Amino acid sequence: MALSRGLRCCARVFSWIPVLIITSVVLWSYYAYVFELCVFTISNTLEKVAYLLVFHVCFVMFSWTYWKAIFTPPATPCKKFQLSYSDKDRYEREERPDAQKQILVDIAKSLPIFTRATSGAIRFCDRCQVLKPDRSHHCSVCETCVLKMDHHCPWVNNCVGFSNYKFFLLFLSYSMVYCVFISASVFRFFINFWVGDLPNGPAKFHVLFLMFVALMFLVSLMFLLGYHCWLVVQNRSTLEAFSAPVFTTGPDRNGFNVGIRRNLQQVFGDNKRLWFLPICTRYPPVGLYFNPVPRDTLLYPPEGLYSNPVPGEIPSCRFTLQPCSWRDALL
């Protein structure tokens, strides 16, 4: 027991190494750009002030989004999805797998759960002892189930899911803006140092290396950000891109796709003026948009669990489930 606890502590310490690497590179880039380039190399005062102003705006937005992506806790299933003491006791006493599946089915009837395991059974997490809400998965690193889990990112040492997916996307976006601005503004001085028009000194090494590092990160960020933009437009997570979610009607990769506008709103919120700021604009429960299905295969939700029903309209047509509150989801 003591050995496993020590190993977990060591793993937690080592998990911060990628974050420390990124932080060190960014702090060095700040010194190289502000002091070695702007203070010691650029002689034009107006140009120096303009570069410093734009640079600090990019630096602040990058740091803000990175901080939010790291320290925003992943949203977990609320208490409504946890087994009660009696249900847990009944489930553990039952030894027959089929009977256990039926117990979970009976419990899930009062919950807005529409996805299934590949076997068709209710998705259940033995470690967390919860019925998994739609699009949630268990993270072995964080040791908890995460709502709308996308992946566990070592570079932010956090699970990317419902609560911080917007911050993660903004972090990638502002990281790319940061690299683009550095590359574009340093390029002229990079050429001057390379051909020998500027004197050799400490600034030469910093400017040359700054250009290479910015371009290297820029190329990798372009592919990563492009992939996640495609996922947002399709309303898929990274896990769902590799394995299609299974509904009561079968697997469907586009089961959560409700159009580009609504897909974006599910990540960034309804207020477009706040889309590019790393502040919370979406709150659990996860808004589950379910595409229309044939009436004979329709699984109707419990009364009152979908919002704004249209009189006379089939409730399965793109309703939003609201099983719990933001405060409950974090408990």
Side-chain angles (χ1 to χ4, degrees):
M1 179 65 70
L3 179 61
S4 62
R5 185 177 301 175
L7 292 175
R8 286 198 299 268
C9 291
C10 291
R12 291 176 181 174
V13 172
F14 285 117
S15 65
W16 286 99
I17 291 179
V19 176
L20 293 177
I21 292 175
I22 294 295
T23 303
S24 300
V25 172
V26 172
L27 291 177
W28 166 79
S29 69
Y30 182 90
Y31 167 79
Y33 192 93
V34 172
F35 294 97
E36 297 294 344
L37 178 66
C38 294
V39 176
F40 301 138
T41 303
I42 300 177
S43 57
N44 188 296
T45 304
L46 183 60
E47 183 181 15
K48 183 184 301 187
V49 171
Y51 279 8
L52 287 174
L53 180 62
V54 178
F55 173 82
H56 279 89
V57 171
C58 297
F59 180 80
V60 168
M61 295 306 299
F62 164 81
S63 302
W64 189 8
T65 54
Y66 193 40
W67 176 275
K68 295 287 287 187
I70 294 174
F71 294 105
T72 301
T76 58
C78 66
K79 294 181 179 180
K80 292 184 178 180
F81 292 89
Q82 295 178 354
L83 295 184
S84 64
Y85 179 81
S86 59
D87 290 334
K88 181 180 179 181
D89 183 67
R90 183 160 58 101
Y91 178 81
E92 292 178 347
R93 287 178 179 272
E94 185 58 61
E95 297 180 355
R96 295 170 298 172
D98 292 340
Q100 287 183 330
K101 290 181 181 180
Q102 186 58 44
I103 292 174
L104 296 180
V105 170
D106 295 337
I107 300 173
K109 286 182 179 179
S110 60
L111 296 172
I113 297 177
F114 292 88
T115 55
R116 299 291 185 266
T118 53
S119 62
I122 298 294
R123 299 192 310 133
F124 178 71
C125 180
D126 290 317
R127 296 182 179 181
C128 299
Q129 293 292 302
V130 297
L131 298 176
K132 292 183 180 180
D134 295 339
R135 314 190 78 175
S136 66
H137 297 274
H138 184 86
C139 176
S140 59
V141 180
C142 297
E143 298 180 349
T144 187
C145 287
V146 178
L147 294 179
K148 198 183 177 182
M149 179 178 173
D150 188 87
H151 69 289
H152 185 91
C153 180
W155 298 109
V156 299
N157 192 27
N158 198 4
C159 249
V160 178
F162 183 91
S163 59
N164 62 353
Y165 190 43
K166 173 188 174 180
F167 305 146
F168 178 75
L169 290 175
L170 291 179
F171 159 62
L172 295 180
S173 302
Y174 285 115
S175 298
M176 196 170 72
V177 171
Y178 185 73
C179 293
V180 168
F181 174 75
I182 288 179
S183 301
S185 57
V186 169
F187 181 74
R188 176 165 62 91
F189 303 96
F190 171 83
I191 297 297
N192 291 337
F193 275 119
W194 189 267
V195 300
D197 290 344
L198 291 175
N200 291 330
K204 179 178 181 179
F205 163 78
H206 287 285
V207 171
L208 294 179
F209 196 58
L210 186 63
M211 185 70 182
F212 284 118
V213 172
L215 289 177
M216 180 182 65
F217 277 97
L218 177 60
V219 173
S220 60
L221 286 169
M222 286 176 59
F223 288 102
L224 185 58
L225 179 60
Y227 175 69
H228 278 280
C229 288
W230 176 79
L231 290 177
V232 171
V233 170
Q234 299 293 325
N235 202 352
R236 298 178 190 171
S237 65
T238 300
L239 297 176
E240 291 166 354
F242 287 96
S243 178
V246 180
F247 296 88
T248 55
T249 55
D252 185 4
R253 290 188 178 275
N254 296 314
F256 298 105
N257 190 345
V258 291
I260 295 178
R261 182 177 63 85
R262 291 187 177 182
N263 292 342
L264 291 173
Q265 287 176 340
Q266 285 198 15
V267 176
F268 296 101
D270 299 328
N271 191 345
K272 295 182 179 180
R273 292 176 296 180
L274 302 178
W275 279 15
F276 299 101
L277 293 178
I279 57 178
C280 186
T281 53
R282 291 288 292 163
Y283 302 91
V286 178
L288 169 60
Y289 290 90
F290 195 77
N291 286 330
V293 295
R295 194 178 187 87
D296 56 348
T297 60
L298 175 63
L299 177 63
Y300 284 95
E303 184 177 358
L305 287 181
Y306 55 90
S307 62
N308 302 325
V310 179
E313 184 180 12
I314 299 177
S316 64
C317 294
R318 296 178 179 176
F319 53 83
T320 305
L321 295 175
Q322 296 181 336
C324 56
S325 68
W326 166 252
R327 184 183 298 276
D328 292 336
L330 294 180
L331 295 178

